[in-house]
């Protein structure tokens, strides 16, 4: 049963959820407030630049960035090697909606998808796709909407285009007999909403070559590619459009034409960190492509490296990822069609494999320990292959003891060996398909304590010598219930850490900026750390939902984009807050307050509203009065319930004001108050009563 049946299961689950809601029988997380909503500061810049912005490696070009709040730029942050300068002539840098930048890329800059951000005196922008290619770039003409007015192009070339509603774009190429060309449209892989098709037409016969049509090519996330060897010389038209003729300002694409190979994945699809490996390619056009030698980085943050398929002396195809693994990786060796011929797979370990013939069944032998729970999982869609895998676990007698659920979106099975010994993992295609695209990556590892981190936002701002707070939600996995150490890692100018106690799911990590740091944008990541079975487990904050949104709903964003954050070191904040607990140590069941002192910059003389962004359970803040116009001091009352937890407790606030009619906001670093048990008061001792002197009786 294919995974698409998961939709039916999801519908049943949805209906069941409604029943649970109606009946009130739904589990509730106790003791945790709802995660606060954190939005970008209103004064921060925003980029709306089209997704096909790019440069040829080794060249210098001037680009136009569009967006909001782009005035007063400080620097531009690229995720690839390169130098960016901001010209100052023609009042560049004063227009909040447009900014001219000069980009210079080295000749060895990796081709592929990268990112670009802009930092201003007020903050740092969201990222936008920035594409590096080795082919000359040509912009489409506005008159290429008919066959008769097709744009003539030579190759190799990258054409940057945009689809309009109910229209096709046409390009004319001239080929020689025996020439093999690839026509590849890159749109969804850049975050464009375009779902492209590519179709070739013979100019001589004015006939559409329906056999040279592509839509949703496997492994390209709804993009398309044709590779064809032309028997005869001639002129051909390349038609590009949306599958259902959609179009508009955001429907950008890049059309690559050249004598380059098109592949589905690298093979192997993963290598162990710190190891050197020969990496080849898999796919319908991968047979004669030489392998590439890769030395894998040991950086735990780096999730993948990219390799470009290239024939000897030829030009490069679009790069594909090679995952970096924390354990040994092997390549499937045939024949392994029966348990007796199973490939030996270490635990933990991974294997790159393929179903290269009909009804292929791959077997991998592991050594299991009695009582140690293991998990076997197959990656396919995550590495942009169309394969659907069924996993079965066999004991030493060949008896099936567990299998993956085909209705779930991921092929995964957990099992616990009943005795020490050898077990076999059998993998087969759910739809009995085979071929050069049917690649998968199988991993097996012990099920141990784990966690993940979800970040609310990928950018922030603060002045040098000051700081802010970064929100992180922690999901503890596989039975882990202990504390999690969260810290800011990356550029040396940034620091900060906090220990998230057991029982809490989210925290604001202080992000502190070293005094004297030059204004501009700096990269950072949020790292989490626990100890499981005596070994450190490190994870990094994930931005999956935000990245997907920023890339038009891309189903499988590049893994390196999921952990990258940026902090803007601003020259001088419009206003700043200093928070002080009064008293420093607050007793359970009693009241305290937060003293607020504002530092106002030029023009920020209006009311400053201060609102709690995160207050732990059993602490109730009073309604805070704004710091009045022209004033610098205020306070906010706190009431501590008797049930409040003792110990250092962070509180986070957000302050807003208006400057020149525009909204500005800041989030100071968390204020930590020390909550203590109520102090015991000794009962007052009664003073002994003094005896009155006796009076003599009168006779």
């Amino acid at each position: 049963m294919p995974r698409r049946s998961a939709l039916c299961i999801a519908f049943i689950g949805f209906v069941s959820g409604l029943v649970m809601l109606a009946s009130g029988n739904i589990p509730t997380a106790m003791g945790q407030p709802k995660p606060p909503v954190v939005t970008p500061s209103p004064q921060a810049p925003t980029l709306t630049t089209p997704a096909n912005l790019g440069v040829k490696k080794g060249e210098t070009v001037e680009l136009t960035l569009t967006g909001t709040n782009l005035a007063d730029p400080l620097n531009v942050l690229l995720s690839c090697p390169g130098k960016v300068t901001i010209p100052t002539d023609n009042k560049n840098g004063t227009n909040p909606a447009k900014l001219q930048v000069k980009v210079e890329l080295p000749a060895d800059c990796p081709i592929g998808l990268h990112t670009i951000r802009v930092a201003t005196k007020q903050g740092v922008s969201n990222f936008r796709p920035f594409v590096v290619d080795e082919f000359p770039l040509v912009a489409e003409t506005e008159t290429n909407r008919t066959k008769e007015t097709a744009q003539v192009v030579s190759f190799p070339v990258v054409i940057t285009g945009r689809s309009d509603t109910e229209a096709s774009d046409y390009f004319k190429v001239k080929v020689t007999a025996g020439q093999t060309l690839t026509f590849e449209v890159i749109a969804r892989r850049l975050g464009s909403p375009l779902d492209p098709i590519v179709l070739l037409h013979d100019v001589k016969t004015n006939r559409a070559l329906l056999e040279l049509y592509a839509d949703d090519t496997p492994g390209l996330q709804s993009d398309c590619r044709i590779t064809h060897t032309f028997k005869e010389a001639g002129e051909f038209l390349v038609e590009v459009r949306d599958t259902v003729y959609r179009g508009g300002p955001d429907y950008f694409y890049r059309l690559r034409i050249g004598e380059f190979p098109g592949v589905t994945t690298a093979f192997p699809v993963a290598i162990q960190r710190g190891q050197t490996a020969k990496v080849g390619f898999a796919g319908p056009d991968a047979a004669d492509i030489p392998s590439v030698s890769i030395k894998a980085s040991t950086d735990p943050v780096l999730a993948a490296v990219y390799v470009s398929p290239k024939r000897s002396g030829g030009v490069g195809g679009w790069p594909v990822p090679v995952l970096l693994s924390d354990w040994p990786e092997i390549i499937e060796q045939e024949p392994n069609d029966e348990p007796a011929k199973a490939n030996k797979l270490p635990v933990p370990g991974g294997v790159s494999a393929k179903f290269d013939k009909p009804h292929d069944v791959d077997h991998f032998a592991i050594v299991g320990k009695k009582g140690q729970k293991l998990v076997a999982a197959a990656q396919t869609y995550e590495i942009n292959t169309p394969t659907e895998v069924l996993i079965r676990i066999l004991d030493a007698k060949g008896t099936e003891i567990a299998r993956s659920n085909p209705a779930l979106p991921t092929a995964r099975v957990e099992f616990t060996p009943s005795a020490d010994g050898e077990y076999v993992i059998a993998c087969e295609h759910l739809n009995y398909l085979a071929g050069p695209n049917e690649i998968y990556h199988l991993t097996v590892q012990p099920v141990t304590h784990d966690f993940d981190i979800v970040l609310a936002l990928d950018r922030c701002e603060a002045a040098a010598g000051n700081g802010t707070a970064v929100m992180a939600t922690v999901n503890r996995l596989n039975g882990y219930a202990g504390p999690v150490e969260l810290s800011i890692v990356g550029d040396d100018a940034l620091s900060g850490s906090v220990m998230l106690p057991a029982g809490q799911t989210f925290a604001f990590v202080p992000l502190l900026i070293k005094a004297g740091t030059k204004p501009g944008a700096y990269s950072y990541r949020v790292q989490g750390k626990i100890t499981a079975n005596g070994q450190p487990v490190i994870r990094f904050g994930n931005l999956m939902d935000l990245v997907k949104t920023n890339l038009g709903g891309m189903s499988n964003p590049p893994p390196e984009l999921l952990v990258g954050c940026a902090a803007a070191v601003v020259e001088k904040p419009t206003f700043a807050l200093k928070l002080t607990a009064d008293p420093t140590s607050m007793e359970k069941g009693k009241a305290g307050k937060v003293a607020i002192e504002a530092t106002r910059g030029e023009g920020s003389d209006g009311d400053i509203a201060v609102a709690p962004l995160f207050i732990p359970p059993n602490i109730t803040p009073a309604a805070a009065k704004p710091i009045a116009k022209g004033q610098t001091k205020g306070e906010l009352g706190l009431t501590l319930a008797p049930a409040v937890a003792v110990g250092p407790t962070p509180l986070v606030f957000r302050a807003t004001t208006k400057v020149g009619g525009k909204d500005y906001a800041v989030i100071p670093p968390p204020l930590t108050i020390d909550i203590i048990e109520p102090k015991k008061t000794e009962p007052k001792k009664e003073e002994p009563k003094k005896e009155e002197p006796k009076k003599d009786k009168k006779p």
Side-chain angles (χ1 to χ4, degrees), residues 36-41 45-47 115-117 124-129 190-191 453-460 470-471 524 541-566:
V37 177
V38 182
T39 57
S41 300
T46 299
L47 282 180
T115 61
I116 186 170
R117 296 180 190 261
V124 63
S125 75
N126 58 308
F127 78 80
R128 290 301 293 154
L190 302 180
I453 308 169
V454 178
L455 301 182
L457 202 59
D458 66 338
R459 51 186 171 134
C460 60
V470 177
M471 184 192 159
Y524 75 90
N542 188 285
L543 295 153
M544 176 66 81
D545 291 341
L546 187 145
V547 171
K548 282 187 174 183
T549 300
N550 208 13
L551 293 177
M554 184 187 296
S555 57
N556 295 307
E560 66 274 9
L561 300 186
L562 304 181
V563 298
C565 301

Side-chain angles (χ1 to χ4, degrees), residues 139 188 236 286 292 342 392 446 696:
R188 294 297 299 122
F236 294 84
V292 179
R392 297 182 299 117
D696 294 336

Side-chain angles (χ1 to χ4, degrees), residues 78-113:
L78 285 179
S79 66
C80 63
K83 178 182 178 183
V84 184
T85 55
I86 303 173
T88 57
D89 56 341
N90 300 320
K91 296 184 179 180
N92 187 46
T94 62
N95 187 341
K98 188 180 294 185
L99 179 66
Q100 300 290 329
V101 298
K102 186 178 180 181
V103 179
E104 180 181 353
L105 297 183
D108 59 351
C109 184
I111 72 170
L113 176 63

Side-chain angles (χ1 to χ4, degrees), residues 286-372:
D288 59 346
I289 304 172
S291 59
V292 179
S293 180
I294 294 179
K295 171 70 173 179
S297 170
T298 57
D299 184 351
V301 178
L302 197 60
V305 295
Y306 287 81
V307 291
S308 178
K310 183 181 298 187
R311 295 187 179 92
S312 298
V315 292
W318 197 245
V320 291
V322 180
L323 304 180
L324 298 184
S325 167
D326 294 323
W327 43 65
E329 292 283 340
I330 66 171
I331 300 175
E332 176 201 7
Q333 300 295 321
E334 292 281 5
N336 64 344
D337 300 330
E338 53 188 85
K341 297 179 180 179
N343 294 171
K344 303 294 184 182
L345 180 60
V347 179
V351 56
S352 297
K354 65 178 73 174
F355 299 120
D356 55 3
K357 58 183 180 295
H359 303 285
D360 192 6
V361 181
D362 299 330
H363 294 85
F364 306 97
I366 63 170
V367 175
K369 297 180 180 179
K370 180 179 179 180
Q372 182 187 45

Side-chain angles (χ1 to χ4, degrees), residues 141-187:
T141 62
E142 293 297 325
T143 58
N144 69 343
R145 301 297 187 266
T146 68
K147 295 180 181 179
E148 293 72 25
T149 60
Q151 181 177 349
V152 178
V153 296
S154 57
F155 50 82
V157 67
V158 177
I159 304 162
T160 56
R162 190 198 73 196
S163 284
D164 292 330
T165 305
E166 301 295 332
S168 294
D169 297 335
Y170 293 93
F171 306 92
K172 183 185 288 187
V173 296
K174 189 174 184 179
V175 306
T176 59
Q179 192 166 37
T180 300
L181 288 182
T182 296
F183 306 85
E184 180 169 8
V185 183
I186 306 173

Side-chain angles (χ1 to χ4, degrees), residues 639-660:
T639 301
L640 280 64
V644 68
V646 299
T649 303
L651 285 67
V652 183
F653 298 86
R654 181 185 176 100
T656 57
T657 189
K658 284 187 179 291
V659 179

Side-chain angles (χ1 to χ4, degrees), residues 548-678:
K548 282 187 174 183
T549 300
N550 208 13
L551 293 177
M554 184 187 296
S555 57
N556 295 307
E560 66 274 9
L561 300 186
L562 304 181
V563 298
C565 301
V569 178
V570 298
E571 286 187 335
K572 181 187 293 185
T574 305
F575 71 103
L577 293 186
K578 181 181 178 181
L579 308 174
T580 308
D582 184 15
T584 304
S585 297
M586 299 186 186
E587 298 179 43
K588 296 172 61 173
K590 295 190 176 181
K593 66 180 180 181
V594 175
I596 306 169
E597 183 177 354
T599 301
R600 297 178 179 271
E602 183 178 351
S604 61
D605 58 350
D607 290 354
I608 298 176
V610 181
L613 189 57
F614 170 67
I615 302 293
N618 297 313
I619 299 178
T620 304
K625 294 181 179 180
I627 300 176
K629 181 177 180 179
Q631 301 298 309
T632 59
K633 295 184 182 295
E635 64 178 44
L636 183 145
L638 299 173
T639 301
L640 280 64
V644 68
V646 299
T649 303
L651 285 67
V652 183
F653 298 86
R654 181 185 176 100
T656 57
T657 189
K658 284 187 179 291
V659 179
K662 294 183 178 181
D663 292 326
Y664 283 76
V666 298
I667 300 176
L671 169 67
T672 300
I673 61 174
D674 186 27
I675 300 177
I676 60 175
E677 296 286 353

